[in-house]
Amino acid sequence: MATIKDVAALAGVSLGTASRVLSGSSQTSPDSRARVTAAAKELNYIANGPARSLRRSRTDVLGLLVSDIRNPFFSELAHAAEREAQRRGYTVLLANADEDADQEAAYLRTFASQRIDGLLIAPQGSDVTPLRALRDGGLPLVFVDRSVEGLDVPTIGTDNEDGVRRALTWLHGRGHREVAFVGGPPEVSTGRERRAAFLRFRDELGLSADPRLVAHGDFRAESGVEAMRAVLASGARPTAVLSADGLMTLGVARALREAGPVGADAAEPLDAVEIVSFDDLDWFSLVSPPISAVRNDATAIGRLGVTALVDVIEGRPGASHRVATSFVDRSEEHGAGA
């Protein structure tokens, strides 16, 4: 592997000049920069990142630990975070907790040993101990999408309450009163917040308070199947269902199709039970009837998360944000809209 000495020799400059050019310093002449850059390219020179980071006490690397990379919401969030990080001169190391607290803990130990400059994380549960240890050890942290009570760090998340309000108000306006709710796990902040918002606005709008209409999953598709099956097996007969996550919506739709017609006059199961999703996925417009959804802005969350983390790294206070949602109406009567 070529060294910086090889680059300097081929470019015909001093070792110091080559080092300044390759580190991005402007204290070099245009001619030197052109020669060193050409030599580095010819030799396929790769900088010694660990050695450079030891000298600078920085690595220009951010960690990003998402809950489930298969979930389109987190894929979009990761993509936006990576683009914003690159724009700011950082590289992102991406890890997937797979909705598993033990896997999250293993990645936290790995990140702690890798000399990253900061960590973006969507926490798996309510255990604050390992995260507090990282923060108290000097690692800048920012929460994205989810949070953990008892740890004061910048948090970039969705306005879950307003998103649920939009969905239930829309369903109420369409005449639904028996509305089921398939929520997320109560140990996760988004699961708790969306469930609390459902119960609040359900009561305010005068929707059915039948406890059989409320079930929860784990933000994965199969749990949506099981939760919806449980609601139907209980004897409850919802005319609509709000699913608290895009992947669980897939499970809800599958369970309803498997169950067959539910309403007395229904020819198709999705004609009998109207589905609304918290998270909007591309395929929602392709089913019949299409699925209306709360649009959760993963791109904004990823971008703002990196912005807050870089602020903390550079000694500025990182700002928390609740990102607004919008509602996508795909009903046949109203057409698509926001």
Side-chain angles (χ1 to χ4, degrees):
M1 182 179 292
T3 67
I4 193 170
K5 291 182 180 180
D6 299 325
V7 174
L10 181 60
V13 300
S14 69
L15 183 59
T17 296
S19 177
R20 286 192 292 275
V21 171
L22 294 171
S23 66
S25 172
S26 61
Q27 302 302 310
T28 53
S29 68
D31 178 63
S32 294
R33 290 196 293 274
R35 288 156 60 190
V36 170
T37 300
K41 183 176 181 180
E42 180 177 339
L43 294 171
N44 195 27
Y45 171 75
I46 300 175
N48 187 333
R52 182 182 175 196
S53 68
L54 286 172
R55 291 192 299 270
R56 298 171 61 240
S57 298
R58 288 266 301 268
T59 61
D60 295 331
V61 175
L62 306 179
L64 172 58
L65 182 52
V66 299
S67 299
D68 185 354
I69 197 62
R70 296 169 299 178
N71 188 321
F73 172 82
F74 286 111
S75 298
E76 184 179 342
L77 188 156
H79 180 258
E82 181 181 45
R83 288 177 63 88
E84 182 65 18
Q86 288 176 340
R87 190 181 73 81
R88 293 172 175 270
Y90 288 86
T91 298
V92 173
L93 295 181
L94 175 64
N96 173 39
D98 201 29
E99 298 289 3
D100 183 274
D102 291 336
Q103 187 159 313
E104 176 190 73
Y107 273 122
L108 289 177
R109 290 191 294 269
T110 298
F111 278 132
S113 68
Q114 291 300 310
R115 291 179 52 81
I116 59 174
D117 290 339
L119 177 63
L120 291 169
I121 179 172
Q124 297 310 296
S126 57
D127 186 3
V128 73
T129 304
L131 295 170
R132 178 180 286 121
L134 287 176
R135 188 203 61 178
D136 292 349
L139 180 66
L141 294 177
V142 168
F143 292 146
V144 286
D145 185 57
R146 304 175 179 181
S147 62
V148 176
E149 293 181 1
L151 191 62
D152 184 18
V153 301
T155 300
I156 313 298
T158 298
D159 190 340
N160 292 303
E161 182 175 273
D162 190 58
V164 171
R165 179 193 62 78
R166 289 174 184 270
L168 288 186
T169 301
W170 183 80
L171 286 170
H172 179 269
R174 288 173 62 74
H176 294 289
R177 298 297 181 267
E178 298 291 322
V179 179
F181 178 67
V182 174
E187 64 271 15
V188 174
S189 63
T190 46
R192 292 192 302 273
E193 290 176 8
R194 292 173 193 177
R195 184 180 188 276
F198 172 81
L199 296 177
R200 173 186 169 185
F201 292 113
R202 177 198 70 182
D203 294 344
E204 288 186 5
L205 292 167
L207 305 181
S208 172
D210 185 345
R212 298 176 301 173
L213 291 170
V214 179
H216 68 83
D218 62 6
F219 288 140
R220 289 184 282 197
E222 188 56 38
S223 72
V225 174
E226 295 172 358
M228 195 67 236
R229 285 174 178 167
V231 170
L232 298 177
S234 73
R237 286 296 175 260
T239 62
V241 56
L242 171 60
S243 172
D245 157 82
L247 287 184
M248 290 196 304
T249 301
L250 172 61
V252 167
R254 184 186 304 158
L256 289 171
R257 286 194 181 277
E258 291 173 354
V262 176
D265 300 322
E268 295 292 338
L270 288 182
D271 290 336
V273 179
E274 186 158 30
I275 301 173
V276 173
S277 175
F278 198 115
D279 286 341
D280 189 28
L281 305 186
D282 291 340
W283 63 269
F284 289 171
S285 63
L286 304 178
V287 298
S288 180
I291 295 173
S292 299
V294 175
R295 181 164 289 165
N296 193 5
D297 195 344
T299 295
I301 292 173
R303 186 178 67 250
L304 291 170
V306 169
T307 299
L309 186 57
V310 171
D311 282 342
V312 176
I313 290 168
E314 297 180 355
R316 299 183 295 273
S320 294
H321 291 277
R322 284 283 187 175
V323 177
T325 63
S326 58
F327 190 79
V328 183
D329 179 356
R330 295 192 174 98
S331 62
E332 293 179 356
E333 290 81 1
H334 297 89

